[in-house]
Amino acid sequence: MASTEFPQPAASPATVPPAGPVLADGETSRTVTLPGLSLLVRSRGHDLRAAHAGVREPAMFVHGLGGSSQNWSALMARLAGVLDVEALDLPGFGHSPPPDDGNYSLAAHARAVVRLLDAEARGPVHLFGNSMGGAVVVKVAAARPDLVRTLTLISPALPELPPQRTALPTALAAVPGLPALYRRVTRDWPAERRTQALLSLCYADPSVVGPAERAAAATEYQRRVDLPYFWDVTVRSTRGIVNAYTLGGQHALWRQAERVLAPTLLVYGVRDKLVGVRMARRACRAFRDARLLTIPGSGHVAMMEHPFLVERAFRDLRQEMAARTRGGAGEGSVSATAEMSTSTAASGS
């Protein structure tokens, strides 16, 4: 359920003022102010007039617990030539301040995404979500199908019972008293140690992140920990995920997945320590128009570890949708896409 603030090793962050977000070459950022809400939005080659004119289809990326829009920089760079790409920092994360109402439930995060898309008239978008962000965008797609062209879910935080043992420490952050105990135990940990712990949790192979990127990640981690609201946001958002897992009826996340109409790409890492690859089979049954990419060498953040494979699978999906529009593809194209994507991942290309 966690995500990270780590930059993709291949990206070379540009120099930016210390108070602002770290931007990769070609990226810009802006702040969108809505009633009770202020959101940092990261863009790459974004031109609002061109987007409204339909020159490039819009895409929105939503990060996971503990992450930010920076998690999507590598994938955004690969897709910027065909899509109008943007990623937001959810309320209280990255460089977005906490919401006025202090609500960090999955429903509140989903409302923030919807309000942003409505305010800028960007829908329908290709909607991407990782981990907690995956659960958030499922709620968006279920409630507002008019806003979603396609849905790409990377290790989505959908209910997994029992959870993997390696995911239990993250879930325990929702237990009253334990976050305070953890803070006392780890208060003398340097940022580098915290960074290594997150890398080991979220990456299948943490060694792919080089020394320069680790140093940048540690600096960003320390900035976040020093924010007066960091622990409150983390704990409340974790509780929001756990609470969502307990909901029944039409509000249950798996029930909402069944309501999604948009063509859906599911991406799972075989070595994911937080969301088990065993959930891929259930997800394929739940989403009515699904195709699957499994990556043997990936952990929890495939868009950072293997952006090429995620890009390729999404391009396959987009081409499939174009063929459907032309009337040249039927139901058989779904399983064909899934088989091709899985074999590509297995080859390690």
Side-chain angles (χ1 to χ4, degrees):
M1 290 180 292
S3 188
T4 59
E5 187 71 21
F6 309 119
Q8 172 67 20
S12 299
T15 301
V16 297
V22 176
L23 301 174
D25 291 336
E27 290 185 344
T28 59
S29 68
R30 70 183 191 281
T31 298
V32 178
T33 302
L34 303 168
L37 202 62
S38 183
L39 301 172
L40 186 285
V41 179
R42 179 185 303 262
S43 305
R44 190 177 186 93
H46 175 60
D47 184 331
L48 190 58
R49 289 174 297 179
H52 286 167
V55 175
R56 287 177 296 167
E57 295 172 347
M60 179 62 70
F61 301 80
V62 184
H63 63 79
L65 180 66
S68 79
S69 58
Q70 188 177 1
N71 296 158
W72 297 101
S73 288
L75 186 58
M76 287 171 65
R78 290 184 169 274
L79 293 175
V82 295
L83 300 178
D84 180 56
V85 292
E86 291 196 329
L88 82 158
D89 288 348
L90 289 170
F93 292 92
H95 283 76
S96 291
D100 288 355
D101 62 5
N103 189 344
Y104 298 101
S105 66
L106 291 185
H109 287 316
R111 284 194 296 272
V113 175
V114 168
R115 290 179 62 192
L116 175 62
L117 295 177
D118 277 343
E120 301 203 328
R122 279 179 57 81
V125 300
H126 295 285
L127 192 56
F128 293 71
N130 169 235
S131 193
M132 180 186 78
V136 168
V137 299
V138 166
K139 294 182 74 67
V140 172
R144 290 289 304 273
D146 58 303
L147 291 178
V148 184
R149 294 175 187 262
T150 66
L151 190 63
T152 297
L153 304 175
I154 301 173
S155 296
L158 298 173
E160 179 180 3
L161 298 173
Q164 295 189 99
R165 288 183 297 173
T166 46
L168 286 175
T170 300
L172 289 176
V175 178
L178 288 185
L181 175 62
Y182 176 80
R183 291 176 65 180
R184 288 197 297 271
V185 170
T186 63
R187 61 187 175 187
D188 294 328
W189 284 17
E192 292 77 11
R193 181 175 178 181
R194 299 177 189 272
T195 300
Q196 178 58 37
L198 278 177
L199 279 170
S200 297
L201 183 64
C202 294
Y203 275 71
D205 179 10
S207 68
V208 301
V209 182
E213 288 77 19
R214 284 172 182 261
T219 299
E220 174 59 18
Y221 198 119
Q222 190 61 56
R223 181 196 71 82
R224 290 163 48 203
V225 171
D226 289 342
L227 293 172
Y229 52 82
F230 171 80
W231 290 106
D232 183 61
V233 172
T234 301
V235 171
R236 288 176 182 267
S237 291
T238 304
R239 288 175 181 166
I241 297 172
V242 173
N243 290 340
Y245 278 22
T246 66
L247 294 177
Q250 64 177 346
H251 299 293
L253 283 171
W254 284 114
R255 181 71 62 82
Q256 298 217 330
E258 294 171 353
R259 292 168 52 193
V260 172
L261 301 177
T264 302
L265 170 63
L266 300 164
V267 181
Y268 284 84
V270 174
R271 297 173 62 186
D272 193 333
K273 302 181 182 70
L274 292 164
V275 173
V277 70
R278 64 176 181 167
M279 302 310 295
R281 185 179 298 275
R282 181 173 183 180
C284 284
R285 293 196 303 266
F287 291 93
R288 64 181 69 190
D289 188 5
R291 62 279 299 137
L292 173 65
L293 167 65
T294 56
I295 307 178
S298 185
H300 192 60
V301 286
M303 72 287 189
M304 301 172 73
E305 296 178 89
H306 303 281
F308 167 75
L309 293 177
V310 178
E311 173 208 6
R312 182 168 177 175
F314 172 77
R315 286 179 181 266
D316 288 345
L317 169 61
R318 189 164 175 265
Q319 289 174 1
E320 179 191 336
M321 295 306 100
R324 284 189 185 183
T325 300
R326 294 191 302 268
E331 292 299 322
S333 62
V334 175
S335 60
T337 300
E339 290 172 4
M340 182 178 65
S341 297
T342 304
S343 63
T344 299
S347 69
S349 60

